[in-house]
């Protein structure tokens, strides 16, 4: 399990993005707009970190295990998270959330990459770690990814996302479905 991305909802996505560019060295990866059925919109920017993640973390971990002279070691690798920033107009899902948070916004969710999203979801349900917004994970074919949102944790106030994706990039349709799921 590793931190895949941190999602912020803010008042002005460009002002916040400039902060992450200048203070942390992030760069804009992709930018897109989501239009909801009621005509309201959310605008999103996906920022990529200045350091690239290891190209094959699984292979690296396997070699680390094999090469350890005194028995297996716990595989470790540095994998910086992406940052996802969105804003929305008054009356929209994102805009209303930001308004509730003192008109500043904040961290909406933290996404952890896992091998099997549904298995982790079921385990969390069984153990009572969190409730979920949807019955099943939300899937996308292009790019290939699976995601699900918990409801805000009673212990941290944060929504956790579990995600499995092959490469980089977000699925616009999945982001829309996830945002809609939290508005229920
Ligand atoms: Fe996310």
């Amino acid at each position: 399990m590793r931190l895949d991305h941190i999602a912020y909802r803010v008042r002005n996505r460009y002002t916040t993005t400039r902060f992450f560019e200048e203070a942390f060295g992030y760069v804009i990866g992709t930018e897109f707009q989501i239009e909801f059925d009621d005509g309201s919109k959310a605008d999103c920017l996906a920022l990529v970190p200045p350091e690239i993640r290891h190209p094959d973390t699984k292979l690296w971990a396997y070699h680390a295990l094999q090469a350890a002279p005194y028995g297996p070691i716990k595989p470790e690798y540095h994998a910086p998270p992406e940052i996802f920033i969105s804003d929305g107009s008054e009356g929209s899902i994102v805009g209303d959330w930001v308004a509730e948070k003192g008109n500043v916004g904040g961290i909406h969710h933290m996404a952890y990459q896992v091998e099997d999203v549904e298995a982790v979801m079921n385990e969390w349900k069984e153990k009572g770690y969190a409730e979920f917004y949807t019955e099943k994970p939300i899937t996308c074919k292009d790019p290939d990814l699976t995601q699900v949102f918990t409801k805000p944790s009673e212990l941290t106030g944060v929504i956790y996302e579990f995600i499995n994706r092959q490469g980089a990039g977000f699925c616009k349709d999945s982001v829309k479905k996830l945002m809609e799921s939290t508005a229920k």
Side-chain angles (χ1 to χ4, degrees):
M1 198 181 265
R2 56 165 288 271
L3 188 59
D4 180 272
H5 63 273
I6 302 169
Y8 294 87
R9 289 181 174 184
V10 300
R11 204 170 43 199
N12 182 315
R13 68 190 183 283
Y14 289 117
T15 314
T16 303
T17 293
R18 197 152 56 239
F19 161 67
F20 279 108
E21 284 174 332
E22 291 173 6
F24 292 91
Y26 274 84
V27 293
I28 296 173
T30 49
E31 186 172 3
F32 55 87
Q33 185 177 68
I34 291 163
E35 195 167 339
F36 297 101
D37 297 341
D38 66 359
S40 66
K41 296 179 178 79
D43 285 287
C44 310
L45 286 164
L47 312 185
V48 290
E51 301 142 326
I52 49 169
R53 65 183 64 162
H54 194 280
D56 193 340
T57 48
K58 279 183 194 162
L59 191 66
W60 189 92
Y62 173 79
H63 285 307
L65 280 167
Q66 300 306 308
Y70 307 109
I73 55 164
K74 198 173 175 183
E76 293 177 5
Y77 51 85
H78 180 66
E82 290 183 18
I83 285 180
F84 194 78
I85 295 174
S86 43
D87 64 19
S89 56
E90 202 183 321
S92 67
I93 293 172
V94 175
D96 285 352
W97 192 91
V98 172
E100 275 174 30
K101 304 281 175 185
N103 223 21
V104 173
I107 292 180
H108 177 261
H109 65 267
M110 295 176 72
Y112 284 86
Q113 169 124 26
V114 296
E115 285 290 313
D116 186 333
V117 172
E118 195 161 6
V120 175
M121 183 182 185
N122 290 336
E123 187 189 342
W124 274 47
K125 277 194 202 167
E126 260 173 47
K127 294 183 175 168
Y129 293 151
E131 292 178 25
F132 289 81
Y133 278 114
T134 52
E135 284 297 311
K136 292 265 172 195
I138 289 164
T139 56
C140 179
K141 286 277 162 257
D142 185 22
D144 189 7
L145 52 79
T146 307
Q147 293 161 283
V148 77
F149 272 170
T150 69
K151 290 185 178 176
S153 163
E154 288 179 0
L155 299 173
T156 65
V158 170
I159 289 171
Y160 293 98
E161 174 186 329
F162 296 119
I163 180 169
N164 184 285
R165 55 178 175 165
Q166 299 310 316
F170 287 92
C171 176
K172 196 173 149 178
D173 198 42
S174 289
V175 173
K176 181 183 175 192
K177 286 178 186 160
L178 285 162
M179 282 183 172
E180 285 174 335
S181 77
T182 65
K184 281 174 194 163

